[in-house]
Amino acid sequence: MKTLRAILAVFQVTRRRIVNSRAFIWLLLAVLAASGALPFALRGDGSTESLLKLAVIYPPVLVFGILLTGTLWTAAALSAQDVESGAFSAIVVKPAPLTAVWLGKWLGLLTLNAVLLGVAGVALRTAIAIRATPSSATRILDGHAAFLPDDAPLREEASARQTVIRMSGEPTPDVNSLLMHVKTEAFRIPPGQHYSWTIPLDGSGIAGADADWSLQFQFHCAAVERRPIDGTWTIRTADGTEQKIPANGLLDGPHQLPLGSAAYAGTVSVSFSNQSDSAATVFFSPLAPVSLLRREMPFGQNLLRAFLLLFCFLAAAAALALSLGTLFSFPVAVFIASALVLALLLAHSFAAIPEPGHSHGPSDLAAHAGSRAGEWMLAKLHHGTARTLRLMPLRQLADARTIRTSQLVRAALALLAAIPSSLCLISGLHLRRREFPI
Amino acid sequence: MNAIETNQLTKHFRDFWGRIHVTAVRDLNLQVTTGSLFGLLGPNGSGKTTTLKMLTGLLHPTGGSVRVLGGAPRDRATRQRLGYLPETTGMYPYLSARDMLHFHAGLFGIAGDDARRKADALLETVGLVQAANRPVGEFSQGMTRRLGLALALINDPELLILDEPTAGLDPSGCRLVKELLRERAARGKTVIISSHLLADIEDICEAVCILHDGQLIAGGPLREMLEQREQTRFTATDISPEHQAALQDAFRQITGQPATIDYPRLKLETFFDQAVRTAQDTTQP
């Protein structure tokens, strides 16, 4: 009970300290600008859909970036500046456990993030509601379950190519690298040609049920200029039903076409036919060329889940910076925390480079020993954090994917419980051992 | 029984390379009896604050040992019974005096009505009732010191360790602190004061130790240390000049030595206090 009271006392003081700081006001204004004003400044290709898509891509990323910076700064200040000002000396001579002091400060930081994320969420939702004309346009932002094409035939071809290369005695590339090459070649559709993807729906537990569907795809053009592409999408179901959807004047980039209410089941074939008089050859993304989307959840609910996940990430960042603040001086703690976050982002981006032969890709770097060491470290860093970073919801929100409850639970366990409690214990042990000469 | 015992207590401060940079305290043996008012004296840099920080567990001894209230300074049980006023009271400037007291009460696990009652009583004791709701950032140095004292008393500690408690205080504040400390000693609580204001220590402490360059150079009961056994003083009230001359003659005849007659002086603090009280009485309706 005494420990709980100590946590509460530190929490209340931390909360007041944050609210009374200028940083809080600036963060609030920045977050409001990013979430409430930025959607009004964005210009897409002129359509409401593209505008709404942009509105769920840039503002959440910007809000997260602002809050991450603010959290690292504030958290490091909360512990490091307390030690430097002598405020911590007055606290550590009290019988309250040092982990309770850490926990109280961390909970105060969570309050800051909860308030600012709440403000950002409401502002973004309101801005999108205002910009969406007609209001039903926001349906493309709803949470969807995604069904991806079966790439087994292409994988078999990649394996076959790998075997041929191996038998020729040349250095054998990784099968995944070859798969990317095979997909890139296969998904290249010149004018007058078409390509079909097979999307299995069996085993999803929704086969046969009436639902709202849409088709999502992403391509780029061979032409230097962005020329509009004319084509036709054809959806064929297992029972032979065929649905043709003209897609004229498409500019390269991501797209989402509503298919309406349907009861798809079994295996669905999706094909794109590039018209013979079309402006250029189209290249569908080898990573996610097309996907069938089944509407599951309203946008507001999905946005709430996305922001809850962002909250979990900010909580882990707060724990990290708070702990570093107990180990180092304020500027050093902020520097190390920021460097760690940047290294994580770099490792993640590095690992996401799709083609090994890319000018910035791993193969080019592998020629130099120093670069190879850096590559190895980034790869290890990515490998160690990939499972956690996959919980980041920004891409899912932008792609209109449902953020699953299981994802929320995993994020809560990892980012709200496991990481902070480990850091709390480490900080508590360190504070017990450290001296406070000021 | 001793509230504090140190044995060969030593503290070195090291530089970045681990070499001994300064020896702040060297082989200090100290015993402070429970219920006493003990003064720690010494010039600047003599090791007073370092000693207090080792007593409170803020610094680890390099050598020797320290027992506070029968336990280690960093034990939670010890800290539960300890009050400490640091030299620099790191306070949160945006909190009011009352909030600071509630915060520190919370760190002792005191909450609700109990915390409110204690905070109000301490604000009254240190004379900060009028400023209870003002942000601490607006406080003068003396007011901050008073609040620091109140914070150190929030748990009614058995051992109170004060580092320069009267620094920055006006004479009435000094008197208040001294009265408060005497009252605590009368209740059987132990108080340790570090100061270089000798008059304050002389006024209230029963025993002192003097540090110089980290070493104990003198210590013991104050009365014994200051008493000059080779001199004798008689005190009488309102004696006329004729009687004084007669007394001097008689003294010379009996002892064969001349006697010096002078008039006792008030301490400036006492005079100041009387003057302020008189002024307050005349200005009050």
Side-chain angles (χ1 to χ4, degrees):
Chain A
M1 195 62 189
K2 280 188 174 179
T3 304
L4 275 179
R5 284 176 182 162
I7 292 172
L8 191 66
V10 179
F11 162 71
Q12 283 172 341
V13 165
T14 307
R15 185 177 50 79
R16 289 187 62 174
R17 180 176 176 178
I18 290 168
V19 171
N20 280 293
S21 67
R22 273 190 214 146
F24 178 74
I25 304 297
W26 284 113
L27 279 176
L28 185 64
L29 290 175
V31 158
L32 272 175
S35 56
L38 183 61
F40 291 96
L42 291 170
R43 297 280 179 271
D45 60 6
S47 67
T48 305
E49 284 76 11
S50 73
L51 180 74
L52 294 181
K53 279 285 180 194
L54 290 178
V56 292
I57 294 172
Y58 294 112
V61 170
L62 204 54
V63 165
F64 182 67
I66 290 165
L67 288 184
L68 183 64
T69 311
T71 300
L72 294 179
W73 183 273
T74 314
L78 273 177
S79 45
Q81 286 186 340
D82 265 12
V83 173
E84 287 158 20
S85 72
F88 224 94
S89 300
I91 294 172
V92 294
V93 295
K94 303 289 190 286
L98 294 167
T99 45
V101 176
W102 188 98
L103 208 56
K105 285 173 184 271
W106 183 66
L107 289 174
L109 283 162
L110 294 199
T111 311
L112 161 83
N113 284 326
V115 168
L116 292 176
L117 273 175
V119 168
V122 170
L124 181 61
R125 184 72 187 87
T126 310
I128 285 175
I130 292 170
R131 294 229 70 183
T133 44
S135 58
S136 60
T138 57
R139 287 174 73 84
I140 63 157
L141 303 179
D142 289 347
H144 294 82
F147 300 93
L148 302 172
D150 177 18
D151 64 355
L154 298 176
R155 193 170 282 278
E156 276 174 23
E157 188 181 332
S159 295
R161 281 195 196 184
Q162 192 186 36
T163 310
V164 170
I165 295 170
R166 190 182 292 123
M167 288 173 73
S168 71
E170 289 179 27
T172 314
D174 176 40
V175 72
N176 286 325
S177 308
L178 283 170
L179 179 63
M180 296 301 280
H181 282 293
V182 169
K183 284 185 173 179
T184 306
E185 286 169 17
F187 301 162
R188 174 182 173 277
I189 311 175
Q193 293 192 20
H194 74 278
Y195 186 82
S196 295
W197 291 270
T198 306
I199 301 179
L201 301 180
D202 290 334
S204 61
I206 53 92
D210 242 4
D212 273 345
W213 292 86
S214 50
L215 183 72
Q216 197 174 56
F217 55 93
Q218 187 174 353
F219 69 88
H220 65 269
C221 297
V224 176
E225 294 170 10
R226 293 183 77 210
R227 292 186 188 163
I229 300 296
D230 296 328
T232 307
W233 285 99
T234 308
I235 317 288
R236 267 186 219 93
T237 57
D239 60 5
T241 316
E242 194 172 279
Q243 183 183 2
K244 282 194 181 296
I245 305 150
N248 296 325
L250 291 175
L251 288 173
D252 62 356
H255 294 273
Q256 195 170 322
L257 286 179
L259 301 176
S261 182
Y264 294 138
T267 302
V268 175
S269 166
V270 175
S271 63
F272 180 75
S273 168
N274 193 2
Q275 283 183 14
S276 54
D277 57 349
S278 193
T281 298
V282 294
F283 296 85
F284 280 85
S285 162
L287 287 173
V290 293
S291 47
L292 267 178
L293 300 183
R294 179 179 177 272
R295 188 176 171 273
E296 286 187 325
M297 185 182 287
F299 168 62
Q301 197 176 338
N302 213 32
L303 184 70
L304 176 67
R305 288 180 173 219
F307 272 51
L308 282 174
L309 281 175
L310 293 183
F311 175 75
C312 293
F313 274 95
L314 291 172
L320 174 72
L322 199 58
S323 299
L324 287 171
T326 62
L327 295 166
F328 304 104
S329 65
F330 173 58
V332 176
V334 170
F335 174 77
I336 293 176
S338 309
L340 278 174
V341 170
L342 281 175
L344 273 180
L345 291 176
L346 187 62
H348 196 59
S349 308
F350 185 81
I353 294 171
E355 294 176 54
H358 193 276
S359 61
H360 303 293
S363 297
D364 292 337
L365 288 174
H368 312 286
S371 303
R372 212 158 37 226
E375 183 190 349
W376 180 84
M377 279 193 288
L378 287 176
K380 286 288 171 195
L381 187 61
H382 171 73
H383 186 69
T385 55
R387 278 169 65 93
T388 310
L389 286 179
R390 267 201 292 271
L391 298 169
M392 181 58 85
L394 295 170
R395 182 67 189 266
Q396 282 171 281
L397 190 68
D399 288 348
R401 302 285 201 276
T402 300
I403 292 159
R404 306 267 164 216
T405 308
S406 59
Q407 192 176 343
L408 279 172
V409 172
R410 275 188 290 137
L413 288 175
L415 301 166
L416 276 179
I419 292 174
S421 56
S422 310
L423 290 170
C424 176
L425 284 175
I426 292 168
S427 299
L429 286 172
H430 171 69
L431 285 171
R432 272 186 71 83
R433 289 175 57 84
R434 82 165 284 174
E435 295 191 322
F436 296 89
I438 300 167
Chain B
M1 187 186 167
N2 290 327
I4 286 174
E5 282 181 11
T6 70
N7 181 31
Q8 301 291 310
L9 188 64
T10 302
K11 180 66 186 177
H12 301 306
F13 286 109
R14 295 178 189 274
D15 64 10
F16 180 78
W17 305 107
R19 295 172 302 196
I20 294 173
H21 182 55
V22 173
T23 300
V25 178
R26 202 189 309 258
D27 299 328
L28 180 65
N29 294 311
L30 206 62
Q31 282 85 39
V32 179
T33 317
T34 303
S36 66
L37 268 162
F38 188 87
L40 201 57
L41 301 175
N44 290 338
S46 58
K48 302 187 298 290
T49 298
T50 303
T51 304
L52 293 190
K53 283 184 181 289
M54 284 193 282
L55 296 181
T56 52
L58 290 172
L59 291 176
H60 298 297
T62 312
S65 64
V66 56
R67 303 284 292 172
V68 177
L69 298 169
R74 290 208 168 196
D75 283 354
R76 283 179 69 184
T78 305
R79 289 183 164 177
Q80 190 72 41
R81 301 187 290 157
L82 181 76
Y84 173 53
L85 171 66
E87 192 177 9
T88 50
T89 45
M91 293 187 192
Y92 298 119
Y94 49 86
L95 290 184
S96 68
R98 180 171 276 123
D99 291 336
M100 276 301 295
L101 282 162
H102 285 167
F103 170 52
H104 279 249
L107 294 174
F108 279 100
I110 307 165
D113 287 342
D114 199 13
R116 270 189 289 276
R117 203 176 53 250
K118 279 178 186 285
D120 288 345
L122 283 169
L123 286 168
E124 178 80 41
T125 305
V126 299
L128 285 177
V129 174
Q130 302 294 327
N133 296 315
R134 270 174 59 189
V136 174
E138 295 175 4
F139 277 18
S140 68
Q141 194 190 346
M143 291 166 81
T144 310
R145 217 67 197 138
R146 286 174 187 237
L147 178 58
L149 185 64
L151 295 175
L153 292 170
I154 192 76
N155 58 326
D156 190 18
E158 287 175 38
L159 171 63
L160 185 60
I161 297 178
L162 308 172
D163 198 354
E164 305 286 357
T166 51
L169 285 179
D170 58 15
S172 62
C174 288
R175 182 172 49 82
L176 183 142
V177 170
K178 288 180 205 170
E179 283 173 8
L180 194 65
L181 299 184
R182 282 195 198 100
E183 180 266 333
R184 292 198 67 78
R187 286 171 51 204
K189 312 279 186 183
T190 313
V191 181
I192 298 182
I193 307 167
S194 152
S195 179
H196 50 247
L197 297 174
L198 304 182
D200 289 345
I201 298 287
E202 188 181 349
D203 268 358
I204 54 172
C205 287
E206 298 152 8
V208 298
C209 76
I210 301 172
L211 297 180
H212 180 263
D213 200 17
Q215 286 183 299
L216 183 68
I217 54 169
L222 199 58
R223 185 183 291 270
E224 288 176 18
M225 287 171 71
L226 300 182
E227 210 167 58
Q228 292 176 291
R229 290 298 233 173
E230 69 279 8
Q231 290 192 11
T232 308
R233 179 191 288 173
F234 300 96
T235 308
T237 309
D238 203 15
I239 299 174
S240 65
E242 296 80 31
H243 285 156
Q244 285 181 20
L247 281 169
Q248 274 185 314
D249 287 344
F251 193 86
R252 196 177 296 113
Q253 282 176 8
I254 295 165
T255 64
Q257 294 180 54
T260 308
I261 293 179
D262 60 9
Y263 297 96
R265 294 172 58 170
L266 283 178
K267 284 186 177 176
L268 181 59
E269 186 188 339
T270 314
F271 181 80
F272 176 89
D273 196 37
Q274 285 173 357
V276 170
R277 282 190 186 180
T278 310
Q280 280 174 343
D281 290 345
T282 50
T283 52
Q284 275 173 3

